[in-house]
Short mmCIF file of all heavy atoms in Angstrom, two decimals:
data_model
loop_
_atom_site.label_atom_id
_atom_site.label_comp_id
_atom_site.label_asym_id
_atom_site.label_seq_id
_atom_site.Cartn_x
_atom_site.Cartn_y
_atom_site.Cartn_z
N MET A 1130 -273.41 1.84 -94.89
CA MET A 1130 -272.48 0.72 -95.07
C MET A 1130 -271.91 0.76 -96.49
O MET A 1130 -272.62 1.03 -97.44
CB MET A 1130 -273.21 -0.61 -94.84
CG MET A 1130 -272.27 -1.80 -94.83
SD MET A 1130 -273.12 -3.42 -94.69
CE MET A 1130 -274.14 -3.16 -93.24
N CYS A 1131 -270.61 0.49 -96.61
CA CYS A 1131 -269.97 0.48 -97.93
C CYS A 1131 -269.20 -0.83 -98.08
O CYS A 1131 -269.18 -1.66 -97.17
CB CYS A 1131 -269.06 1.69 -98.09
SG CYS A 1131 -267.57 1.65 -97.07
N LYS A 1132 -268.52 -1.01 -99.20
CA LYS A 1132 -267.80 -2.27 -99.44
C LYS A 1132 -266.63 -2.45 -98.47
O LYS A 1132 -266.15 -3.56 -98.29
CB LYS A 1132 -267.31 -2.33 -100.89
CG LYS A 1132 -266.25 -1.31 -101.25
CD LYS A 1132 -265.83 -1.48 -102.71
CE LYS A 1132 -264.77 -0.46 -103.09
NZ LYS A 1132 -264.34 -0.59 -104.49
N TYR A 1133 -266.17 -1.36 -97.84
CA TYR A 1133 -265.05 -1.46 -96.91
C TYR A 1133 -265.48 -1.86 -95.50
O TYR A 1133 -264.66 -2.31 -94.71
CB TYR A 1133 -264.27 -0.14 -96.86
CG TYR A 1133 -263.69 0.23 -98.20
CD1 TYR A 1133 -264.29 1.19 -98.99
CD2 TYR A 1133 -262.54 -0.40 -98.67
CE1 TYR A 1133 -263.77 1.53 -100.23
CE2 TYR A 1133 -262.02 -0.08 -99.92
CZ TYR A 1133 -262.64 0.89 -100.69
OH TYR A 1133 -262.12 1.21 -101.91
N CYS A 1134 -266.76 -1.67 -95.17
CA CYS A 1134 -267.23 -1.99 -93.82
C CYS A 1134 -268.44 -2.90 -93.85
O CYS A 1134 -269.28 -2.86 -92.98
CB CYS A 1134 -267.51 -0.71 -93.03
SG CYS A 1134 -268.87 0.30 -93.65
N LYS A 1135 -268.53 -3.75 -94.88
CA LYS A 1135 -269.70 -4.61 -95.04
C LYS A 1135 -269.67 -5.80 -94.08
O LYS A 1135 -268.62 -6.23 -93.63
CB LYS A 1135 -269.81 -5.09 -96.48
CG LYS A 1135 -268.70 -6.04 -96.88
CD LYS A 1135 -268.78 -6.40 -98.35
CE LYS A 1135 -267.60 -7.28 -98.72
NZ LYS A 1135 -267.43 -7.43 -100.16
N THR A 1136 -270.86 -6.31 -93.81
CA THR A 1136 -271.02 -7.50 -92.99
C THR A 1136 -270.81 -8.74 -93.84
O THR A 1136 -271.20 -8.76 -95.00
CB THR A 1136 -272.45 -7.52 -92.40
OG1 THR A 1136 -272.66 -6.31 -91.70
CG2 THR A 1136 -272.64 -8.69 -91.46
N THR A 1137 -270.16 -9.75 -93.29
CA THR A 1137 -269.94 -10.99 -94.02
C THR A 1137 -270.46 -12.16 -93.18
O THR A 1137 -270.68 -12.02 -91.98
CB THR A 1137 -268.45 -11.23 -94.32
OG1 THR A 1137 -267.80 -11.56 -93.09
CG2 THR A 1137 -267.79 -9.99 -94.92
N PRO A 1138 -270.66 -13.32 -93.78
CA PRO A 1138 -271.11 -14.49 -93.01
C PRO A 1138 -270.12 -14.88 -91.90
O PRO A 1138 -270.52 -15.34 -90.84
CB PRO A 1138 -271.19 -15.61 -94.06
CG PRO A 1138 -271.34 -14.89 -95.36
CD PRO A 1138 -270.57 -13.60 -95.21
N LEU A 1139 -268.82 -14.64 -92.15
CA LEU A 1139 -267.79 -15.07 -91.22
C LEU A 1139 -267.51 -14.03 -90.14
O LEU A 1139 -267.24 -14.37 -88.99
CB LEU A 1139 -266.50 -15.37 -91.99
CG LEU A 1139 -265.81 -16.69 -91.74
CD1 LEU A 1139 -266.77 -17.85 -91.90
CD2 LEU A 1139 -264.64 -16.86 -92.69
N PHE A 1140 -267.54 -12.78 -90.51
CA PHE A 1140 -267.18 -11.71 -89.58
C PHE A 1140 -268.31 -10.70 -89.47
O PHE A 1140 -269.08 -10.51 -90.40
CB PHE A 1140 -265.91 -10.97 -90.06
CG PHE A 1140 -264.72 -11.86 -90.17
CD1 PHE A 1140 -264.27 -12.28 -91.41
CD2 PHE A 1140 -264.05 -12.29 -89.03
CE1 PHE A 1140 -263.17 -13.10 -91.52
CE2 PHE A 1140 -262.95 -13.10 -89.14
CZ PHE A 1140 -262.51 -13.52 -90.38
N GLU A 1141 -268.37 -10.05 -88.33
CA GLU A 1141 -269.35 -8.99 -88.16
C GLU A 1141 -269.07 -7.89 -89.20
O GLU A 1141 -269.98 -7.31 -89.76
CB GLU A 1141 -269.27 -8.44 -86.74
CG GLU A 1141 -270.46 -7.61 -86.33
CD GLU A 1141 -270.43 -7.31 -84.85
OE1 GLU A 1141 -270.17 -8.23 -84.04
OE2 GLU A 1141 -270.63 -6.14 -84.51
N ILE A 1142 -267.79 -7.61 -89.39
CA ILE A 1142 -267.36 -6.73 -90.47
C ILE A 1142 -266.15 -7.36 -91.14
O ILE A 1142 -265.21 -7.77 -90.46
CB ILE A 1142 -266.98 -5.32 -89.94
CG1 ILE A 1142 -268.21 -4.64 -89.33
CG2 ILE A 1142 -266.41 -4.47 -91.08
CD1 ILE A 1142 -267.87 -3.37 -88.59
N GLY A 1143 -266.16 -7.44 -92.44
CA GLY A 1143 -265.02 -7.97 -93.18
C GLY A 1143 -265.00 -7.32 -94.55
O GLY A 1143 -265.63 -7.79 -95.48
N GLY A 1144 -264.33 -6.21 -94.65
CA GLY A 1144 -264.45 -5.38 -95.84
C GLY A 1144 -263.46 -5.69 -96.93
O GLY A 1144 -262.52 -6.46 -96.76
N THR A 1145 -263.72 -5.08 -98.05
CA THR A 1145 -262.82 -5.12 -99.21
C THR A 1145 -261.49 -4.46 -98.84
O THR A 1145 -261.47 -3.50 -98.08
CB THR A 1145 -263.47 -4.35 -100.37
OG1 THR A 1145 -264.72 -4.94 -100.67
CG2 THR A 1145 -262.59 -4.37 -101.62
N GLU A 1146 -260.42 -4.98 -99.39
CA GLU A 1146 -259.10 -4.37 -99.13
C GLU A 1146 -259.04 -2.97 -99.70
O GLU A 1146 -259.58 -2.69 -100.76
CB GLU A 1146 -258.00 -5.22 -99.79
CG GLU A 1146 -257.67 -6.47 -99.03
CD GLU A 1146 -256.46 -7.20 -99.62
OE1 GLU A 1146 -255.67 -6.57 -100.34
OE2 GLU A 1146 -256.33 -8.40 -99.36
N PHE A 1147 -258.35 -2.10 -98.96
CA PHE A 1147 -258.12 -0.74 -99.46
C PHE A 1147 -257.11 -0.81 -100.60
O PHE A 1147 -256.23 -1.68 -100.62
CB PHE A 1147 -257.54 0.15 -98.35
CG PHE A 1147 -258.49 0.39 -97.23
CD1 PHE A 1147 -258.27 -0.21 -96.00
CD2 PHE A 1147 -259.59 1.21 -97.39
CE1 PHE A 1147 -259.15 0.01 -94.94
CE2 PHE A 1147 -260.46 1.43 -96.34
CZ PHE A 1147 -260.25 0.83 -95.12
N GLU A 1148 -257.22 0.13 -101.51
CA GLU A 1148 -256.20 0.26 -102.56
C GLU A 1148 -255.03 1.04 -101.96
O GLU A 1148 -255.20 2.19 -101.54
CB GLU A 1148 -256.77 1.02 -103.76
CG GLU A 1148 -255.76 1.15 -104.88
CD GLU A 1148 -256.20 2.17 -105.95
OE1 GLU A 1148 -257.38 2.56 -105.94
OE2 GLU A 1148 -255.34 2.56 -106.74
N LEU A 1149 -253.87 0.42 -101.90
CA LEU A 1149 -252.69 1.07 -101.32
C LEU A 1149 -251.81 1.59 -102.43
O LEU A 1149 -251.51 0.87 -103.38
CB LEU A 1149 -251.92 0.07 -100.45
CG LEU A 1149 -252.72 -0.52 -99.28
CD1 LEU A 1149 -251.90 -1.58 -98.56
CD2 LEU A 1149 -253.15 0.56 -98.32
N LYS A 1150 -251.40 2.82 -102.28
CA LYS A 1150 -250.57 3.45 -103.31
C LYS A 1150 -249.14 3.56 -102.80
O LYS A 1150 -248.92 3.90 -101.63
CB LYS A 1150 -251.13 4.83 -103.65
CG LYS A 1150 -252.54 4.78 -104.19
CD LYS A 1150 -253.14 6.14 -104.34
CE LYS A 1150 -254.58 6.04 -104.81
NZ LYS A 1150 -255.27 7.33 -104.74
N PRO A 1151 -248.16 3.31 -103.64
CA PRO A 1151 -246.76 3.38 -103.22
C PRO A 1151 -246.31 4.83 -103.04
O PRO A 1151 -246.75 5.71 -103.77
CB PRO A 1151 -246.00 2.72 -104.36
CG PRO A 1151 -246.89 2.89 -105.55
CD PRO A 1151 -248.30 2.90 -105.04
N THR A 1152 -245.45 5.05 -102.05
CA THR A 1152 -244.83 6.37 -101.89
C THR A 1152 -243.63 6.44 -102.82
O THR A 1152 -243.20 5.42 -103.38
CB THR A 1152 -244.35 6.58 -100.44
OG1 THR A 1152 -243.51 5.48 -100.09
CG2 THR A 1152 -245.53 6.64 -99.49
N ALA A 1153 -243.09 7.63 -102.99
CA ALA A 1153 -241.92 7.80 -103.85
C ALA A 1153 -240.78 6.93 -103.32
O ALA A 1153 -240.52 6.89 -102.12
CB ALA A 1153 -241.49 9.26 -103.86
N GLY A 1154 -240.14 6.20 -104.18
CA GLY A 1154 -239.01 5.37 -103.77
C GLY A 1154 -239.39 4.04 -103.16
O GLY A 1154 -238.53 3.32 -102.67
N PHE A 1155 -240.68 3.72 -103.14
CA PHE A 1155 -241.11 2.45 -102.56
C PHE A 1155 -240.48 1.28 -103.32
O PHE A 1155 -240.53 1.21 -104.54
CB PHE A 1155 -242.64 2.34 -102.64
CG PHE A 1155 -243.18 1.02 -102.13
CD1 PHE A 1155 -243.20 0.74 -100.78
CD2 PHE A 1155 -243.65 0.07 -103.01
CE1 PHE A 1155 -243.69 -0.47 -100.31
CE2 PHE A 1155 -244.14 -1.15 -102.56
CZ PHE A 1155 -244.16 -1.41 -101.20
N LYS A 1156 -239.84 0.38 -102.58
CA LYS A 1156 -239.28 -0.81 -103.19
C LYS A 1156 -240.36 -1.89 -103.22
O LYS A 1156 -240.90 -2.25 -102.20
CB LYS A 1156 -238.07 -1.29 -102.40
CG LYS A 1156 -236.89 -0.37 -102.53
CD LYS A 1156 -235.67 -0.95 -101.83
CE LYS A 1156 -234.44 -0.10 -102.06
NZ LYS A 1156 -234.65 1.35 -101.94
N ASN A 1157 -240.66 -2.36 -104.38
CA ASN A 1157 -241.79 -3.27 -104.55
C ASN A 1157 -241.39 -4.70 -104.18
O ASN A 1157 -241.61 -5.64 -104.93
CB ASN A 1157 -242.28 -3.19 -106.00
CG ASN A 1157 -243.76 -3.47 -106.10
OD1 ASN A 1157 -244.44 -3.64 -105.09
ND2 ASN A 1157 -244.28 -3.53 -107.31
N ASP A 1158 -240.83 -4.87 -102.97
CA ASP A 1158 -240.32 -6.17 -102.57
C ASP A 1158 -241.27 -6.91 -101.62
O ASP A 1158 -240.96 -8.00 -101.17
CB ASP A 1158 -238.93 -6.03 -101.93
CG ASP A 1158 -238.96 -5.12 -100.71
OD1 ASP A 1158 -239.99 -4.46 -100.48
OD2 ASP A 1158 -237.95 -5.09 -99.99
N ARG A 1159 -242.39 -6.31 -101.30
CA ARG A 1159 -243.37 -6.99 -100.47
C ARG A 1159 -244.74 -6.42 -100.76
O ARG A 1159 -244.86 -5.33 -101.29
CB ARG A 1159 -243.03 -6.84 -98.99
CG ARG A 1159 -243.20 -5.43 -98.47
CD ARG A 1159 -242.49 -5.22 -97.17
NE ARG A 1159 -241.06 -5.09 -97.41
CZ ARG A 1159 -240.17 -4.74 -96.50
NH1 ARG A 1159 -240.56 -4.51 -95.28
NH2 ARG A 1159 -238.91 -4.62 -96.78
N LYS A 1160 -245.76 -7.19 -100.38
CA LYS A 1160 -247.12 -6.76 -100.65
C LYS A 1160 -247.82 -6.43 -99.34
O LYS A 1160 -247.89 -7.27 -98.44
CB LYS A 1160 -247.89 -7.87 -101.37
CG LYS A 1160 -249.31 -7.50 -101.75
CD LYS A 1160 -250.05 -8.70 -102.34
CE LYS A 1160 -251.44 -8.32 -102.83
NZ LYS A 1160 -252.28 -7.72 -101.77
N TYR A 1161 -248.27 -5.20 -99.21
CA TYR A 1161 -249.04 -4.79 -98.04
C TYR A 1161 -250.52 -4.91 -98.35
O TYR A 1161 -250.95 -4.65 -99.48
CB TYR A 1161 -248.74 -3.34 -97.69
CG TYR A 1161 -247.34 -3.12 -97.16
CD1 TYR A 1161 -246.32 -2.70 -98.01
CD2 TYR A 1161 -247.06 -3.31 -95.82
CE1 TYR A 1161 -245.04 -2.49 -97.53
CE2 TYR A 1161 -245.78 -3.10 -95.33
CZ TYR A 1161 -244.78 -2.68 -96.20
OH TYR A 1161 -243.52 -2.48 -95.72
N SER A 1162 -251.28 -5.32 -97.35
CA SER A 1162 -252.73 -5.36 -97.47
C SER A 1162 -253.33 -4.66 -96.26
O SER A 1162 -252.80 -4.77 -95.15
CB SER A 1162 -253.24 -6.80 -97.50
OG SER A 1162 -252.57 -7.54 -98.49
N ALA A 1163 -254.43 -3.98 -96.45
CA ALA A 1163 -255.13 -3.32 -95.35
C ALA A 1163 -256.62 -3.40 -95.58
O ALA A 1163 -257.11 -3.21 -96.70
CB ALA A 1163 -254.68 -1.86 -95.25
N TRP A 1164 -257.34 -3.70 -94.52
CA TRP A 1164 -258.80 -3.81 -94.62
C TRP A 1164 -259.40 -3.67 -93.23
O TRP A 1164 -258.68 -3.77 -92.23
CB TRP A 1164 -259.20 -5.15 -95.25
CG TRP A 1164 -258.90 -6.36 -94.40
CD1 TRP A 1164 -259.77 -7.00 -93.56
CD2 TRP A 1164 -257.64 -7.04 -94.28
NE1 TRP A 1164 -259.11 -8.05 -92.94
CE2 TRP A 1164 -257.82 -8.10 -93.36
CE3 TRP A 1164 -256.38 -6.87 -94.87
CZ2 TRP A 1164 -256.79 -8.97 -93.00
CZ3 TRP A 1164 -255.35 -7.73 -94.51
CH2 TRP A 1164 -255.56 -8.77 -93.59
N ILE A 1165 -260.70 -3.44 -93.18
CA ILE A 1165 -261.41 -3.32 -91.91
C ILE A 1165 -261.95 -4.68 -91.51
O ILE A 1165 -262.50 -5.40 -92.34
CB ILE A 1165 -262.60 -2.33 -92.02
CG1 ILE A 1165 -262.10 -0.95 -92.42
CG2 ILE A 1165 -263.36 -2.26 -90.69
CD1 ILE A 1165 -263.23 0.03 -92.74
N MET A 1166 -261.77 -5.04 -90.24
CA MET A 1166 -262.30 -6.32 -89.77
C MET A 1166 -262.80 -6.17 -88.35
O MET A 1166 -262.25 -5.43 -87.54
CB MET A 1166 -261.22 -7.40 -89.83
CG MET A 1166 -261.80 -8.80 -89.72
SD MET A 1166 -260.56 -10.05 -90.10
CE MET A 1166 -259.94 -10.33 -88.47
N LYS A 1167 -263.87 -6.90 -88.05
CA LYS A 1167 -264.38 -7.00 -86.68
C LYS A 1167 -264.99 -8.37 -86.51
O LYS A 1167 -265.94 -8.72 -87.20
CB LYS A 1167 -265.43 -5.92 -86.40
CG LYS A 1167 -266.00 -5.94 -84.99
CD LYS A 1167 -267.02 -4.82 -84.80
CE LYS A 1167 -267.48 -4.72 -83.36
NZ LYS A 1167 -268.18 -5.92 -82.88
N GLY A 1168 -264.41 -9.18 -85.63
CA GLY A 1168 -264.97 -10.49 -85.32
C GLY A 1168 -266.15 -10.35 -84.37
O GLY A 1168 -266.36 -9.29 -83.79
N GLN A 1169 -266.92 -11.42 -84.23
CA GLN A 1169 -268.10 -11.38 -83.36
C GLN A 1169 -267.71 -11.05 -81.92
O GLN A 1169 -268.45 -10.37 -81.22
CB GLN A 1169 -268.82 -12.74 -83.39
CG GLN A 1169 -269.15 -13.27 -84.78
CD GLN A 1169 -270.26 -12.51 -85.48
OE1 GLN A 1169 -270.90 -11.67 -84.88
NE2 GLN A 1169 -270.45 -12.80 -86.76
N ALA A 1170 -266.54 -11.50 -81.48
CA ALA A 1170 -266.13 -11.31 -80.09
C ALA A 1170 -265.33 -10.03 -79.88
O ALA A 1170 -265.03 -9.65 -78.75
CB ALA A 1170 -265.31 -12.50 -79.62
N ASP A 1171 -264.99 -9.35 -80.97
CA ASP A 1171 -264.18 -8.13 -80.85
C ASP A 1171 -265.04 -6.97 -80.37
O ASP A 1171 -266.17 -6.79 -80.81
CB ASP A 1171 -263.55 -7.76 -82.20
CG ASP A 1171 -262.55 -8.80 -82.67
OD1 ASP A 1171 -261.98 -9.50 -81.81
OD2 ASP A 1171 -262.34 -8.90 -83.90
N GLU A 1172 -264.45 -6.19 -79.45
CA GLU A 1172 -265.20 -5.05 -78.93
C GLU A 1172 -265.26 -3.93 -79.96
O GLU A 1172 -266.26 -3.25 -80.10
CB GLU A 1172 -264.53 -4.56 -77.64
CG GLU A 1172 -265.38 -3.63 -76.81
CD GLU A 1172 -264.70 -3.32 -75.49
OE1 GLU A 1172 -264.29 -4.28 -74.79
OE2 GLU A 1172 -264.57 -2.13 -75.17
N LYS A 1173 -264.16 -3.75 -80.69
CA LYS A 1173 -264.09 -2.68 -81.67
C LYS A 1173 -263.68 -3.23 -83.03
O LYS A 1173 -263.04 -4.26 -83.11
CB LYS A 1173 -263.05 -1.63 -81.24
CG LYS A 1173 -263.50 -0.71 -80.14
CD LYS A 1173 -262.38 0.24 -79.77
CE LYS A 1173 -262.83 1.28 -78.76
NZ LYS A 1173 -263.59 2.38 -79.37
N ALA A 1174 -264.03 -2.50 -84.06
CA ALA A 1174 -263.52 -2.81 -85.39
C ALA A 1174 -262.09 -2.31 -85.48
O ALA A 1174 -261.68 -1.41 -84.73
CB ALA A 1174 -264.38 -2.13 -86.44
N GLY A 1175 -261.32 -2.91 -86.37
CA GLY A 1175 -259.95 -2.48 -86.52
C GLY A 1175 -259.55 -2.42 -87.98
O GLY A 1175 -260.19 -3.04 -88.83
N ILE A 1176 -258.52 -1.64 -88.25
CA ILE A 1176 -257.91 -1.69 -89.58
C ILE A 1176 -256.73 -2.64 -89.49
O ILE A 1176 -255.81 -2.43 -88.70
CB ILE A 1176 -257.48 -0.29 -90.05
CG1 ILE A 1176 -258.74 0.54 -90.28
CG2 ILE A 1176 -256.63 -0.40 -91.32
CD1 ILE A 1176 -258.57 1.76 -91.12
N MET A 1177 -256.80 -3.71 -90.24
CA MET A 1177 -255.77 -4.72 -90.26
C MET A 1177 -254.73 -4.34 -91.31
O MET A 1177 -255.09 -3.86 -92.39
CB MET A 1177 -256.36 -6.09 -90.64
CG MET A 1177 -257.61 -6.48 -89.90
SD MET A 1177 -257.35 -6.68 -88.15
CE MET A 1177 -256.36 -8.16 -88.15
N ILE A 1178 -253.47 -4.57 -90.99
CA ILE A 1178 -252.39 -4.30 -91.94
C ILE A 1178 -251.50 -5.53 -91.99
O ILE A 1178 -250.97 -5.96 -90.96
CB ILE A 1178 -251.57 -3.07 -91.51
CG1 ILE A 1178 -252.48 -1.84 -91.43
CG2 ILE A 1178 -250.41 -2.83 -92.49
CD1 ILE A 1178 -251.83 -0.65 -90.77
N SER A 1179 -251.37 -6.12 -93.16
CA SER A 1179 -250.65 -7.37 -93.32
C SER A 1179 -249.55 -7.21 -94.37
O SER A 1179 -249.68 -6.44 -95.32
CB SER A 1179 -251.64 -8.46 -93.74
OG SER A 1179 -250.97 -9.56 -94.27
N THR A 1180 -248.46 -7.94 -94.16
CA THR A 1180 -247.38 -7.96 -95.14
C THR A 1180 -247.30 -9.33 -95.77
O THR A 1180 -247.24 -10.34 -95.05
CB THR A 1180 -246.02 -7.66 -94.46
OG1 THR A 1180 -246.17 -6.51 -93.66
CG2 THR A 1180 -244.94 -7.43 -95.49
N ASN A 1181 -247.33 -9.40 -97.07
CA ASN A 1181 -247.24 -10.66 -97.81
C ASN A 1181 -248.27 -11.69 -97.33
O ASN A 1181 -247.99 -12.88 -97.31
CB ASN A 1181 -245.83 -11.25 -97.70
CG ASN A 1181 -244.81 -10.40 -98.43
OD1 ASN A 1181 -245.14 -9.64 -99.32
ND2 ASN A 1181 -243.55 -10.52 -98.02
N GLY A 1182 -249.44 -11.24 -96.93
CA GLY A 1182 -250.50 -12.15 -96.53
C GLY A 1182 -250.26 -12.86 -95.22
O GLY A 1182 -250.99 -13.77 -94.86
N GLY A 1183 -249.24 -12.45 -94.47
CA GLY A 1183 -248.91 -13.12 -93.22
C GLY A 1183 -249.62 -12.50 -92.04
O GLY A 1183 -250.64 -11.85 -92.19
N ASN A 1184 -249.06 -12.72 -90.85
CA ASN A 1184 -249.65 -12.17 -89.64
C ASN A 1184 -249.82 -10.66 -89.77
O ASN A 1184 -248.98 -9.98 -90.35
CB ASN A 1184 -248.77 -12.46 -88.43
CG ASN A 1184 -248.88 -13.92 -88.01
OD1 ASN A 1184 -249.83 -14.60 -88.38
ND2 ASN A 1184 -247.92 -14.39 -87.28
N ALA A 1185 -250.91 -10.17 -89.22
CA ALA A 1185 -251.24 -8.77 -89.37
C ALA A 1185 -251.08 -8.00 -88.06
O ALA A 1185 -251.03 -8.59 -86.98
CB ALA A 1185 -252.67 -8.63 -89.87
N VAL A 1186 -250.97 -6.72 -88.17
CA VAL A 1186 -251.10 -5.80 -87.04
C VAL A 1186 -252.35 -4.99 -87.30
O VAL A 1186 -252.88 -4.99 -88.41
CB VAL A 1186 -249.86 -4.88 -86.89
CG1 VAL A 1186 -248.64 -5.70 -86.50
CG2 VAL A 1186 -249.60 -4.11 -88.16
N TYR A 1187 -252.84 -4.31 -86.27
CA TYR A 1187 -254.08 -3.56 -86.48
C TYR A 1187 -254.16 -2.41 -85.50
O TYR A 1187 -253.41 -2.35 -84.53
CB TYR A 1187 -255.31 -4.46 -86.32
CG TYR A 1187 -255.61 -4.86 -84.90
CD1 TYR A 1187 -256.54 -4.13 -84.14
CD2 TYR A 1187 -254.95 -5.92 -84.29
CE1 TYR A 1187 -256.82 -4.49 -82.83
CE2 TYR A 1187 -255.22 -6.27 -82.99
CZ TYR A 1187 -256.16 -5.55 -82.26
OH TYR A 1187 -256.42 -5.89 -80.96
N PHE A 1188 -255.07 -1.50 -85.78
CA PHE A 1188 -255.44 -0.48 -84.80
C PHE A 1188 -256.95 -0.33 -84.80
O PHE A 1188 -257.61 -0.58 -85.80
CB PHE A 1188 -254.72 0.86 -85.05
CG PHE A 1188 -255.00 1.49 -86.39
CD1 PHE A 1188 -256.01 2.44 -86.52
CD2 PHE A 1188 -254.23 1.15 -87.50
CE1 PHE A 1188 -256.25 3.04 -87.76
CE2 PHE A 1188 -254.48 1.75 -88.73
CZ PHE A 1188 -255.48 2.69 -88.86
N ASP A 1189 -257.48 0.02 -83.61
CA ASP A 1189 -258.93 0.14 -83.45
C ASP A 1189 -259.46 1.39 -84.12
O ASP A 1189 -258.80 2.43 -84.13
CB ASP A 1189 -259.29 0.21 -81.95
CG ASP A 1189 -259.05 -1.12 -81.25
OD1 ASP A 1189 -259.08 -2.16 -81.91
OD2 ASP A 1189 -258.84 -1.08 -80.02
N ILE A 1190 -260.65 1.29 -84.67
CA ILE A 1190 -261.33 2.46 -85.22
C ILE A 1190 -262.78 2.47 -84.75
O ILE A 1190 -263.33 1.42 -84.40
CB ILE A 1190 -261.30 2.48 -86.77
CG1 ILE A 1190 -261.89 1.20 -87.37
CG2 ILE A 1190 -259.88 2.69 -87.28
CD1 ILE A 1190 -262.09 1.25 -88.87
N ASN A 1191 -263.37 3.62 -84.70
CA ASN A 1191 -264.77 3.77 -84.29
C ASN A 1191 -265.70 4.04 -85.46
O ASN A 1191 -266.89 3.80 -85.38
CB ASN A 1191 -264.90 4.91 -83.27
CG ASN A 1191 -264.17 4.59 -81.99
OD1 ASN A 1191 -264.28 3.49 -81.45
ND2 ASN A 1191 -263.38 5.54 -81.50
N TYR A 1192 -265.14 4.54 -86.55
CA TYR A 1192 -265.93 4.89 -87.73
C TYR A 1192 -265.24 4.37 -88.98
O TYR A 1192 -264.01 4.32 -89.03
CB TYR A 1192 -266.10 6.40 -87.84
CG TYR A 1192 -266.86 7.01 -86.68
CD1 TYR A 1192 -266.17 7.45 -85.57
CD2 TYR A 1192 -268.24 7.11 -86.70
CE1 TYR A 1192 -266.85 7.99 -84.48
CE2 TYR A 1192 -268.93 7.65 -85.63
CZ TYR A 1192 -268.23 8.09 -84.52
OH TYR A 1192 -268.90 8.61 -83.45
N CYS A 1193 -266.02 4.03 -89.98
CA CYS A 1193 -265.44 3.64 -91.26
C CYS A 1193 -264.79 4.88 -91.89
O CYS A 1193 -265.44 5.93 -92.00
CB CYS A 1193 -266.53 3.09 -92.18
SG CYS A 1193 -265.93 2.75 -93.85
N PRO A 1194 -263.54 4.79 -92.29
CA PRO A 1194 -262.87 5.95 -92.87
C PRO A 1194 -263.37 6.29 -94.28
O PRO A 1194 -263.08 7.37 -94.79
CB PRO A 1194 -261.40 5.54 -92.91
CG PRO A 1194 -261.43 4.05 -92.95
CD PRO A 1194 -262.65 3.63 -92.18
N GLN A 1195 -264.13 5.40 -94.89
CA GLN A 1195 -264.61 5.64 -96.25
C GLN A 1195 -266.02 6.24 -96.27
O GLN A 1195 -266.28 7.18 -96.99
CB GLN A 1195 -264.59 4.34 -97.07
CG GLN A 1195 -263.22 3.75 -97.23
CD GLN A 1195 -262.31 4.62 -98.10
OE1 GLN A 1195 -262.74 5.52 -98.77
NE2 GLN A 1195 -261.01 4.34 -98.06
N CYS A 1196 -266.94 5.68 -95.48
CA CYS A 1196 -268.32 6.16 -95.53
C CYS A 1196 -268.78 6.83 -94.24
O CYS A 1196 -269.86 7.41 -94.19
CB CYS A 1196 -269.27 5.01 -95.90
SG CYS A 1196 -269.50 3.80 -94.59
N GLY A 1197 -267.98 6.75 -93.19
CA GLY A 1197 -268.30 7.45 -91.95
C GLY A 1197 -269.26 6.71 -91.03
O GLY A 1197 -269.64 7.23 -89.98
N ARG A 1198 -269.64 5.49 -91.41
CA ARG A 1198 -270.57 4.73 -90.56
C ARG A 1198 -269.92 4.42 -89.22
O ARG A 1198 -268.74 4.07 -89.15
CB ARG A 1198 -270.94 3.41 -91.27
CG ARG A 1198 -271.88 2.53 -90.47
CD ARG A 1198 -272.43 1.42 -91.35
NE ARG A 1198 -271.52 0.29 -91.52
CZ ARG A 1198 -271.60 -0.85 -90.81
NH1 ARG A 1198 -272.52 -0.97 -89.87
NH2 ARG A 1198 -270.78 -1.84 -91.06
N LYS A 1199 -270.70 4.52 -88.13
CA LYS A 1199 -270.20 4.15 -86.82
C LYS A 1199 -270.10 2.64 -86.76
O LYS A 1199 -271.05 1.94 -87.12
CB LYS A 1199 -271.14 4.67 -85.73
CG LYS A 1199 -270.63 4.51 -84.31
CD LYS A 1199 -271.55 5.24 -83.35
CE LYS A 1199 -271.14 5.18 -81.90
NZ LYS A 1199 -269.90 4.58 -81.53
N LEU A 1200 -268.97 2.12 -86.32
CA LEU A 1200 -268.75 0.67 -86.31
C LEU A 1200 -268.78 0.15 -84.88
O LEU A 1200 -268.15 0.71 -84.00
CB LEU A 1200 -267.40 0.35 -86.95
CG LEU A 1200 -267.20 0.87 -88.37
CD1 LEU A 1200 -265.78 0.57 -88.85
CD2 LEU A 1200 -268.21 0.27 -89.33
N GLY A 1201 -269.51 -0.92 -84.65
CA GLY A 1201 -269.58 -1.51 -83.32
C GLY A 1201 -270.65 -0.85 -82.47
O GLY A 1201 -271.36 0.07 -82.92
N ASP A 1202 -270.74 -1.31 -81.23
CA ASP A 1202 -271.77 -0.85 -80.27
C ASP A 1202 -273.15 -1.20 -80.78
O ASP A 1202 -273.90 -0.37 -81.22
CB ASP A 1202 -271.67 0.64 -79.99
CG ASP A 1202 -270.34 0.98 -79.34
OD1 ASP A 1202 -269.82 0.14 -78.59
OD2 ASP A 1202 -269.86 2.09 -79.60
ZN1 ZN B 2635 -267.98 2.10 -94.80
#
C-alpha cells in the first residue's frame, strides 16, 4: 500500500492526488486533478479525473499504478 492507494475512514481507497505535469503548449486555464478512489459499494477501484474540482470522470483499474498492489476483491 502506498499514499496513492491508501485506505481512509470515508473510502475503502482514497489516495493522494497524482502530480500532473503539463504537456508542451498546455494552457493553464483549468486545474486537473487525478487520484485513485474506491467506495465501499464500488466493485472496482478507479482513477478519478476532475476539472476545476467539479464532477469527475473515471476509469476502472485492477492494480495501483504506483506500487502495483492489487486493488479490490
Ligand atoms: Zn499503491
